[in-house]
Amino acid sequence: MPFTVTEGVAWAIFGSLSLILAGRLLLVRETVIDYLANRLLLWSLLALLLYRWSKAGPFAGVVEQFASGCVVLSTTYLLGIARLEGVNEDMGRVRQRERRYCAIPLAFTAAILFAGWSADAEGLPLDIGIGWQGFLLVLATSVPITVNTVLFAIRGIRELRTGSREAVEKLVAFALFAVNLFVWTNQLLSASQILFGRPDMGPYLPRVEWIFTVCIAANGALLALPLAAALGEVAGLDSAGRSRRRLHVLWRDLTEAVPEIVMSPGSDSGSHGRLFRMTVEIRDAILHLGPYLPPTDDGGDGLRGDSGELDRFAHRLALATAARKAGAQPGNPRGAKVLELPAHNFDADLRQLGELSRAWVRVRSSGMPTDEGARPTLSPPPRTGPAGLK
């Protein structure tokens, strides 16, 4: 079969990978793995670009050999990922290793260029099975690519065997293993072609380009997954962003009444960090508003779970909010001691606050208490049925 990459397909892959790299450089660059993956993608794009330039011109052969060197260099970053000691490893040490690792593919690139120069001087094509130059070409490309991908696969298998992994992480690992298996199959076929003369798969360098293009397109799709997650986080479409939107009205109204509990924006970290900060601020605001809560008939100030109790608590909380904003004196000192949100973990706390937020919206839609009405007294709200307040 002809191992060729059409111009349209090649430029489409180049354009999509360029967008992925640009997005990752803006949004996905926090960890050392992100750094190494972005560098891998950068050298891969350079290889794709050189392959396009190698189709015409007096230096087409040299440009194609440089492209093969970039392919070898890009796989070096797989070795860099495999040798990481942890996601929090010092960046200085990572870059020091990077310089050391990159010296090896540069030497192999020099060997490829030397083989091409020698074959051109003898009037021979640089290809597998043609003179010692063809053997050097295969050696300089196959050995580093095989070593780097095998070590990367071993690290991936070890990571899967130690500790629990999410289904998405396992899927990505299996996809990467399938890509590496595709590369190893080609290496075995190339070795068979050298040793036995078959199967005859055509010229070697165009086949390297074709296989590399397929692999980098697959890897680019996998590298786009973290970018898609980051874009969803920026747009507020992730689970934490959706939760923040559900809590926003409650958070805004409570922090307007108790602005001193609002933390600095720099104290959060990412979408989940902002959600955690929002829940903490809501809880703190409720605690501060406890002394302003109108007392109930039974003297309880806790937050209960059924919708009727939630609506009544939201109404009392609205009265407390209006009273504090109006400057009224606290009339329920017991409220600060008794009031609590009895959640056992963050997820339970988030569900509870989400229910309170829905009750808060219902109270707002029925008419929020005004500051004017809250100033004279903190009388308890009328008790109604589970359907809410009127």
Side-chain angles (χ1 to χ4, degrees), residues 239 241-250 354 357-358 361:
S239 60
R242 294 193 298 271
S243 297
R244 291 201 313 275
R245 285 198 299 275
R246 285 192 291 268
L247 298 177
H248 178 73
V249 175
L250 174 64
S357 180
R358 286 189 287 271
V361 171

Side-chain angles (χ1 to χ4, degrees), residues 249-279:
V249 175
L250 174 64
W251 171 83
R252 182 196 62 198
D253 292 341
L254 295 185
T255 53
E256 283 180 356
V258 194
E260 63 270 19
I261 56 92
V262 178
M263 294 181 283
S264 168
S267 61
D268 56 48
S269 176
S271 182
H272 287 278
R274 291 190 292 273
L275 174 62
F276 180 76
R277 182 177 67 120
M278 179 178 281
T279 60

